[in-house]
Amino acid sequence: MVLLSCSRVLPSLLQALHQLYYDPNIENKNLAQKWLMQAQVSPQAWHFSWLLLHMDKVPEIQYFGASALHIKISRYWNDIPADQYESLKSQLFTHITRFASGSKIVLTRLCVALASLALSMMPEAWPCAVADMVRMFQAEDSNVDGRARCLALLELLTVLPEEFQTSRLPQYRKGQVRSVLAQECGSVFPLLEQLLQQQDSPGFIKQKVLKCFSSWVQLEIPLMDCENLIQAAFTSLQDPELFDTAVEAVVNAISQPDAQRYVNTLLKLIPPVLGLQEQLRQAVQSGDMETSHGICRIAVALGENHSRALLDQVEHWQSFLALVNMIMFCTGIPGHYPVNETTSSLTLTFWYTLQDDILSFEPDKQAVYQQVYRPVYFQLVDVLLHKAQFPSDEEYGFWSSDEKEQFRIYRVDISDTLMYVYEMLGAELLSSLYDKLGRLLTNTEQPSTWQHTEALLYGFQSIAETIDVNYSDVVPGLIGLIPRISISNVQLADTVMFTIGSLSEWLADHPVMINNVLPLVLQALGNPELSISSVSTLKKICRECKYDLPPYAANIVAVSQEVLMKQIHKTSQCMWLMQALGFLLSALQVEEILKNLHSLITPYIQQLEKLADETPNPSNKLAIIHILGLLSNLFTTLDISHHDDDHESTEVKKLPVQQGPNPVVVVLQQVFQLIQKVLSKWLNDAQVVESVCAIFEKSVKTLLDDFAPMVPQLCEMLGQMYSTIPQVSAIELTRQLVHIFAHEPAHFPPIKALFLLVTSVTLTLFQQGVLSLKFPEAPTVKASCGFFTELLPRCGEIAPVGQVVHENGKALLQAVLEGIGGQASRSLMDHFAEILFALNKHCFSLLSIWIKEAMQQDGFPSARVTPEQKENFSQQILRERVNKRRVKEMVKEFTLLCRGLHGTEYTADY
């Protein structure tokens, strides 16, 4: 389809709209939508929009007409001659009045269009826009019902601030218009107050009033100017029909950033918030989750946004404490989240904010508030641990997987809060948790539920995971208590495992206690339901305590081998387990390492030999990748040179530096031919090649210089691989080898040969280096730009580089200009600007010739730019050899011209 003249476009429009709404063929719908979008932005839209708004048209067609008007006004304001402003305004008022009793969706779009017009005209061309709107709709009009007029006015007043928030006004205009709107609230708020107070105002009018108020408060209206309406909104909370809208209005009013300046008004708001407590209790008792949720939102909005301002009012400390206690009630609201309640999660951020504000006071004032609020925070810990408890097994069995996941996330949020609260309560918090757990486990008269025990352990784990508990005097007692826990449940067992894992650093400093907990971990390894917790805990212990584990090494390896052979765990946990064994073996003598490695990996090597003889198929591919993954994860952490040790505490435990070849290198050399055999059959499979490269890449990263004996044969194998079928993983491994070994003369020949081969093969593939600048993937283009930005400054120092730039620089410039001209994403313009700047700074004489020749091509780099604009851009670039930021600005400006976007709304955020 092509757009026709206005006299002929209407039938086409109606046909396209009919296709869009009623045609069952999806291709026809898409075609119609594309054409209609073009129509909306065409010059004819000014005319056909009004025709589509005729009352004989169906609402869908009228809606399209109203939307087209809004698009033209909001995006193409500069197309409207100033002498037509009044006519356009008058027409919109007329149509809004006409649709006041008509289709709601069309009325809203017309109101949005008039709002956009007002924002563009105020303050110069329409100084009292809002007051005029109120006056126009309050005027008697016998044709339109008074209530309908009132609703139309409220709709217009509601969408006006919303349109402002989403408008693309320039920044200076935005501030100017915001200020004008804030002043004009004097024309709006008295009307809203009147409508709320009138006894005969129906509920739907009051609801619209509250929505309108909610919209206006987001314009940063001074809180004291909102006082009367906020109080009226509090009154509306008693009306179930208005409750949700009133909550939104109060929360929006209280939450505006500027509100904290009006402390007296904030203090006046505390009593009405506290006055909602009875309504809150009744809602909780009756299971009315919506009401309890709404009231909690109000209390949290006041407390969270203004705790600092309210804490500063020392003489009012009791009323603020009452608000804090109300929020505590919301935190501890009865029932299990998210099945019986969804309110408690809203309060967690408040406790962070309150603590931060208390701890930010000067020492004397902080001491006073600590005295008041430490007991509150101890109570909070009890409440949170109660909320973190699992429901009964029977009840939990009925929960959906989504509910279980939400509960898991909720417990993580509680864990984070407990960790944060530790800063306020310190070591006393750990003592409190330990005492409670001790009483629970030793009380024979009142047996506790597993849920209670689990929650206390979870609290301890939450803190120990991130806080240094090495100096805590309760950890030895906790370690002593853990074996006394009767583990009858998976959730409890998981938490026991994670708690042990969180204490792994403490165990490294107190190795005598390792034997208290290690048997529990090894036993749990055999339970597939405890897979994640048991494997991650063993990995932490092996990483932190490896120098104290040699006496237990044989047992750990044996148990690990058994569970690996039984295939109890999923792939990712098998990989973690191999990493754990790598840490463990790192602390043994070389002979012991080799002995353990032999028993550990021989079954896998045998399996791999068998697989290497088979014809490739999807089943044996997965097995090969799994075995290669196990090896690479083992070699990731097996490091006898202790590169990863940076803790002073472990220095004394380090074993003497061992002589002879590294055990990892010994194993790699033994399996090298087997790996080559696997590759020979799977060279065209990127995943298998990636798995092979991962073994060497992880070994190189861990061993660093110790990997040296492998360099010649690995370089040779990589060269053969890449020559046959180039793969990304081979390039990555080459990069790693170059990075670590290229500076060492002994390894330079094989590294140099590999680098030249990879470069040569790659260039043969892509014909020329600058092709990478034209790829659709942004990261590739960024990396390429980075390479050229580093290369160009060397063209004067290194003769071969200078020759390459001289021969290929014009092609490079051509590719850069194509990208700027519209071939590349606008997000890449800064990177192209860097190349232009480097060319100008280091190859000025050549650039001045190349850019002139390039810009003489017709339609290059875009048909949208004139020869004058191209010349101007070229001269600007050539003149700027110092200020890189200016070059970036020039490129951004020129790319907008090339794309036909200069001066449009799309440039606002660019």
Side-chain angles (χ1 to χ4, degrees):
M1 288 189 194
V2 294
L3 284 176
L4 310 168
S5 65
C6 192
S7 59
R8 296 166 59 201
V9 80
L10 194 59
S12 302
L13 271 168
L14 295 173
Q15 182 192 345
L17 285 164
H18 188 275
Q19 275 186 330
L20 180 66
Y21 291 122
Y22 306 115
D23 195 321
N25 186 310
I26 194 69
E27 285 185 17
N28 289 347
K29 278 182 183 291
N30 291 338
L31 194 65
Q33 185 173 29
K34 188 176 178 182
W35 186 83
L36 287 166
M37 287 171 71
Q38 291 177 335
Q40 278 188 317
V41 299
S42 69
Q44 297 97 312
W46 286 117
H47 306 286
F48 68 64
S49 298
W50 303 110
L51 299 174
L52 295 178
L53 283 164
H54 281 182
M55 300 309 283
D56 61 344
K57 300 288 188 290
V58 294
E60 292 91 339
I61 290 173
Q62 294 168 336
Y63 178 83
F64 182 81
S67 293
L69 276 174
H70 172 241
I71 287 171
K72 294 299 285 184
I73 292 168
S74 61
R75 296 189 190 175
Y76 300 95
W77 177 250
N78 293 334
D79 294 354
I80 309 172
D83 60 3
Q84 291 185 20
Y85 291 172
E86 288 302 319
S87 164
L88 186 54
K89 185 204 304 182
S90 174
Q91 281 181 288
L92 282 167
F93 269 123
T94 302
H95 278 79
I96 288 171
T97 306
R98 191 176 297 157
F99 276 90
S101 303
S103 167
K104 172 73 172 65
I105 58 167
V106 181
L107 173 65
T108 299
R109 290 320 290 167
L110 287 169
C111 287
V112 171
L114 181 56
S116 185
L117 179 83
L119 294 173
S120 296
M121 288 177 69
M122 64 173 59
E124 294 87 359
W126 195 358
C128 302
V130 179
D132 286 353
M133 290 174 186
V134 173
R135 192 165 52 252
M136 287 281 291
F137 282 94
Q138 284 184 324
E140 286 298 324
D141 187 331
S142 56
N143 296 326
V144 182
D145 169 61
R147 231 169 234 181
R149 267 205 330 275
C150 180
L151 278 173
L153 173 59
L154 287 172
E155 182 67 22
L156 178 56
L157 294 176
T158 302
V159 301
L160 182 60
E162 292 169 356
E163 180 68 7
F164 170 76
Q165 303 288 5
T166 58
S167 70
R168 290 178 174 267
L169 292 169
Q171 207 56 44
Y172 79 97
R173 283 273 298 139
K174 203 141 194 173
Q176 188 183 38
V177 173
R178 184 193 297 277
S179 174
V180 171
L181 285 172
Q183 290 167 14
E184 293 239 39
C185 76
S187 302
V188 179
F189 284 11
L191 170 67
L192 301 184
E193 289 171 32
Q194 180 190 345
L195 289 169
L196 277 177
Q197 288 161 6
Q198 280 177 358
Q199 295 299 317
D200 61 341
S201 281
F204 63 87
I205 292 279
K206 288 184 175 179
Q207 196 165 59
K208 198 71 199 154
V209 167
L210 289 166
K211 282 184 180 172
C212 184
F213 171 55
S214 195
S215 179
W216 274 80
V217 292
Q218 294 177 66
L219 292 172
E220 297 176 18
I221 311 288
L223 193 64
M224 58 187 180
D225 294 345
C226 305
E227 229 176 278
N228 292 342
L229 280 166
I230 293 174
Q231 294 295 347
F234 270 108
T235 305
S236 302
L237 289 168
Q238 304 306 315
D239 183 340
E241 188 186 349
L242 302 178
F243 181 83
D244 290 343
T245 321
V247 167
E248 212 61 47
V250 172
V251 169
N252 283 343
I254 292 173
S255 302
Q256 56 173 310
D258 201 40
Q260 59 193 358
R261 290 172 48 203
Y262 305 97
V263 177
N264 290 334
T265 305
L266 290 173
L267 289 169
K268 287 181 193 174
L269 293 176
I270 294 179
V273 173
L274 296 176
L276 297 171
Q277 288 181 97
E278 185 52 39
Q279 189 179 354
L280 173 62
R281 285 193 185 91
Q282 288 176 5
V284 170
Q285 283 173 5
S286 63
D288 181 355
M289 287 168 66
E290 285 76 18
T291 299
S292 55
H293 196 83
I295 293 173
C296 175
R297 280 186 64 201
I298 292 172
V300 168
L302 183 57
E304 192 176 307
N305 287 292
H306 307 297
S307 65
R308 176 68 197 227
L310 293 169
L311 281 168
D312 268 328
Q313 310 309 305
V314 181
E315 65 277 18
H316 295 279
W317 71 273
Q318 286 174 307
S319 64
F320 183 61
L321 181 59
L323 177 67
V324 171
N325 285 326
M326 182 179 176
I327 296 172
M328 180 76 78
F329 177 83
C330 295
T331 304
I333 208 159
H336 287 288
Y337 181 97
V339 176
N340 315 113
E341 62 91 7
T342 55
T343 298
S344 56
S345 61
L346 300 177
T347 66
L348 297 181
T349 312
F350 163 75
W351 299 108
Y352 285 75
T353 307
L354 178 61
Q355 178 177 311
D356 283 347
D357 289 335
I358 290 170
L359 297 180
S360 70
F361 284 122
E362 63 277 8
D364 291 347
K365 198 170 183 180
Q366 189 185 127
V368 172
Y369 278 115
Q370 285 260 19
Q371 200 173 351
V372 174
Y373 284 100
R374 273 177 70 83
V376 174
Y377 273 86
F378 273 112
Q379 183 191 351
L380 173 67
V381 171
D382 289 342
V383 167
L384 290 175
L385 290 178
H386 181 72
K387 293 297 294 181
Q389 285 188 27
F390 279 87
S392 69
D393 293 335
E394 185 182 1
E395 189 183 340
Y396 193 62
F398 285 110
W399 285 18
S400 68
S401 57
D402 186 50
E403 286 167 341
K404 288 177 179 176
E405 176 60 11
Q406 284 185 58
F407 182 60
R408 185 194 67 78
I409 295 167
Y410 175 68
R411 277 171 50 100
V412 170
D413 292 340
I414 286 178
S415 172
D416 291 343
T417 310
L418 289 169
M419 179 267 291
Y420 207 75
V421 166
Y422 181 83
E423 191 181 350
M424 175 82 119
L425 301 180
E428 202 179 331
L429 172 55
L430 291 177
S431 301
S432 167
L433 292 173
Y434 171 66
D435 290 345
K436 285 177 177 144
L437 186 63
R439 285 198 298 274
L440 210 63
L441 295 175
T442 54
N443 189 341
T444 51
E445 295 174 16
Q446 264 189 317
S448 62
T449 62
W450 72 261
Q451 287 92 339
H452 199 169
T453 305
E454 190 277 336
L456 283 168
L457 267 182
Y458 185 69
F460 210 107
Q461 173 219 323
S462 301
I463 296 159
E465 211 147 49
T466 46
I467 306 293
D468 183 2
V469 295
N470 282 11
Y471 305 103
S472 169
D473 55 359
V474 302
V475 177
L478 177 67
I479 296 282
L481 282 175
I482 285 175
R484 299 185 60 163
I485 297 171
S486 173
I487 300 176
S488 57
N489 175 279
V490 170
Q491 283 88 12
L492 176 57
D494 258 337
T495 302
V496 168
M497 285 299 109
F498 285 127
T499 304
I500 294 170
S502 72
L503 297 171
S504 55
E505 285 186 38
W506 184 91
L507 288 168
D509 287 339
H510 305 82
V512 72
M513 305 296 280
I514 290 174
N515 200 37
N516 280 41
V517 292
L518 187 59
L520 285 174
V521 179
L522 294 178
Q523 184 185 349
L525 273 183
N527 185 343
E529 289 185 295
L530 303 178
S531 182
I532 292 174
S533 60
S534 62
V535 175
S536 66
T537 296
L538 181 64
K539 182 181 165 185
K540 283 181 180 179
I541 291 173
C542 290
R543 184 181 66 215
E544 301 299 335
C545 311
K546 60 185 172 190
Y547 299 108
D548 302 296
L549 291 180
Y552 313 102
N555 194 18
I556 294 172
V557 171
V559 172
S560 300
Q561 270 187 286
E562 186 183 350
V563 298
L564 284 166
M565 286 295 117
K566 286 181 179 176
Q567 298 182 338
I568 285 172
H569 301 294
K570 290 181 180 175
T571 300
S572 54
Q573 276 71 58
C574 292
M575 303 306 159
W576 291 359
L577 192 49
M578 279 302 209
Q579 288 178 23
L581 294 172
F583 285 125
L584 174 73
L585 297 181
S586 299
L588 303 181
Q589 295 293 330
V590 169
E591 299 76 21
E592 283 295 306
I593 295 174
L594 287 169
K595 190 173 106 182
N596 279 289
L597 279 176
H598 183 264
S599 68
L600 186 61
I601 66 175
T602 296
Y604 294 111
I605 300 304
Q606 289 170 349
Q607 195 180 346
L608 193 61
E609 284 172 339
K610 183 166 169 279
L611 291 165
D613 288 329
E614 293 178 5
T615 307
N617 64 66
S619 172
N620 58 26
K621 172 185 168 177
L622 287 176
I624 288 169
I625 289 174
H626 181 74
I627 292 169
L628 295 174
L630 291 174
L631 293 176
S632 63
N633 276 279
L634 177 65
F635 297 155
T636 299
T637 53
L638 208 173
D639 179 19
I640 61 169
S641 61
H642 317 300
H643 291 118
D644 63 335
D645 291 330
D646 54 1
H647 305 297
E648 287 182 22
S649 59
T650 61
E651 290 294 328
V652 292
K653 298 180 181 178
K654 281 191 184 178
L655 302 175
V657 175
Q658 320 227 13
Q659 301 300 313
N662 189 291
V664 172
V665 173
V666 171
V667 172
L668 283 175
Q669 287 174 328
Q670 287 172 355
V671 299
F672 197 82
Q673 281 189 314
L674 175 58
I675 289 173
Q676 285 182 306
K677 186 177 179 182
V678 170
L679 269 178
S680 67
K681 287 195 175 180
W682 292 91
L683 198 53
N684 62 347
D685 190 292
Q687 288 174 293
V688 174
V689 172
E690 190 178 336
S691 299
V692 168
C693 289
I695 291 179
F696 296 106
E697 190 178 354
K698 288 180 178 179
S699 302
V700 170
K701 281 182 180 175
T702 307
L703 303 181
L704 301 175
D705 295 340
D706 291 352
F707 188 83
M710 293 291 302
V711 170
Q713 60 195 121
L714 181 57
C715 285
E716 187 182 351
M717 185 182 87
L718 269 176
Q720 290 168 355
M721 283 166 56
Y722 199 74
S723 301
T724 312
I725 299 176
Q727 305 267 24
V728 174
S729 49
I731 292 185
E732 283 295 322
L733 181 51
T734 301
R735 185 173 66 85
Q736 197 73 34
L737 288 170
V738 169
H739 182 66
I740 294 172
F741 294 107
H743 65 285
E744 294 183 18
H747 304 300
F748 191 70
I751 295 286
K752 179 184 176 183
L754 175 61
F755 182 74
L756 288 173
L757 186 144
V758 167
T759 307
S760 170
V761 171
T762 307
L763 284 174
T764 306
L765 279 174
F766 296 119
Q767 303 303 319
Q768 52 173 343
V770 298
L771 189 67
S772 54
L773 289 175
K774 301 178 184 181
F775 281 17
E777 297 86 4
T780 305
V781 180
K782 284 181 186 176
S784 304
C785 289
F787 166 74
F788 288 117
T789 307
E790 288 292 321
L791 180 78
L792 290 168
R794 309 285 181 272
C795 64
E797 307 163 11
I798 305 169
V801 173
Q803 186 181 345
V804 167
V805 172
H806 190 273
E807 292 171 1
N808 300 284
K810 187 176 177 182
L812 171 62
L813 176 66
Q814 182 92 3
V816 167
L817 291 174
E818 281 177 20
I820 295 170
Q823 297 297 314
S825 163
R826 280 161 58 197
S827 66
L828 295 167
M829 292 307 111
D830 279 356
H831 301 280
F832 287 132
E834 298 255 5
I835 296 179
L836 283 180
F837 184 75
L839 278 168
N840 198 28
K841 194 168 182 180
H842 302 285
C843 320
F844 175 75
S845 56
L846 291 169
L847 176 64
S848 56
I849 298 167
W850 294 336
I851 200 167
K852 186 176 181 181
E853 291 175 357
M855 291 301 197
Q856 282 175 348
Q857 302 170 76
D858 288 339
F860 181 86
S862 163
R864 291 189 176 93
V865 284
T866 65
E868 291 76 21
Q869 288 170 325
K870 292 198 284 185
E871 175 63 19
N872 183 41
F873 173 68
S874 302
Q875 292 306 316
Q876 283 181 320
I877 292 293
L878 292 170
R879 277 197 297 268
E880 190 53 77
R881 302 177 68 185
V882 178
N883 192 329
K884 194 187 293 183
R885 183 181 57 79
R886 280 286 302 123
V887 174
K888 289 179 178 179
E889 287 171 1
M890 293 169 194
V891 169
K892 283 181 179 179
E893 188 85 4
F894 188 62
T895 197
L896 290 172
L897 287 170
C898 290
R899 296 163 197 261
L901 297 175
H902 195 269
T904 69
E905 59 168 317
Y906 299 104
T907 65
D909 301 320
Y910 185 52

